[in-house]
Amino acid sequence: EVQLLESGGGLVQPGGSLRLSCAASGFTFSSCVMSWVRQAPGKGLEWVSGISGSGDTTHFADSVKGRFTISRDNSKNMLYLQMNSLRAEDTALYYCAKGCTPGGYWYFDLWGRGTLVTVSS
Amino acid sequence: EIVMTQSPATLSVSPGERATLSCRASQSVSSHLAWYQHKPGQAPRLLIYGASTRATGIPARLSGSGSGTEFTLTISSLQSEDFAVYYCQQYNNWPLTFGGGTKVEIK
C-alpha cells in the first residue's frame, strides 16, 4: 500500500526543538519530491518546506527559513523536518506530502494524516 | 510571493446542484495550478493538476479550468462525499502557496 506516516509531534516550549519524521512505503521514494505542509488550528494549508528526490535541493517558506531544516534518507525511505527556535505560531498539524509527478512539478499526489506540534509554555 | 485568493469562503449548495469555486493568483502561474479536497481528520486529496487534468480516480463531475491568474473548480452535481474544504495551490514559483480555502457545505 502506498502511504506516508508522520511521527514526532508533541508539546514543546517556545524556543525549543523538535524533529518530525515521515515514513514512506509502497512507491519509489527517491523518485519523488517531498514536502512538509502545515495547518494551524482553524486555518488553511501552508507550505513549509520541500526537498528534491536526491536531496540536493531544498526550499523553505520565509516563515521558517533559518529555523527549520529538511532532509531525507532514501536508503530508509524517510523524510525529516528539524524544527529549531520554535514559536507559538508554529503550532499546527504537520503533513508530509509526496510529488511523483510527470515533469517533476511540485504538486502533491499523496499526503499523510499529519502529526500535531504544539508550542506552548 | 504569489498570493492565491479563493472565493467564496463558504458555499452552501444542495445535493445534486452545481458548485463553482474560484481561485485567483496575484500574478500569472501559467497552468501550474492544483486543487485539493480536505475533510476533517483526513489527509488532503489531490483532485486536479495542470489546472484541468483530473488526478487518478477523480470522477468526471469534477472539472478544472483556467490559466494565468483565474481558475475555476466546478462540481457538476454535488454528492454527499463532495462536502469538504477545497484548496488551490500554485507551483509555478517559490514559495509554493495555497489559497485560503472554500468550504462547501450542505444547504
Side-chain angles (χ1 to χ4, degrees), chain B residues 63-79:
Chain B
S63 62
S65 63
S67 66
T69 62
E70 300 283 343
F71 301 89
T72 300
L73 177 68
T74 302
I75 308 173
S76 60
S77 178
L78 271 157
Q79 308 296 305

Side-chain angles (χ1 to χ4, degrees), chain A residues 74-89:
Chain A
N74 286 346
S75 68
K76 297 180 179 178
N77 289 353
M78 294 292 295
L79 174 72
Y80 305 101
L81 185 69
Q82 177 67 43
M83 304 186 294
N84 299 329
S85 303
L86 282 161
R87 306 166 179 167
E89 54 264 35

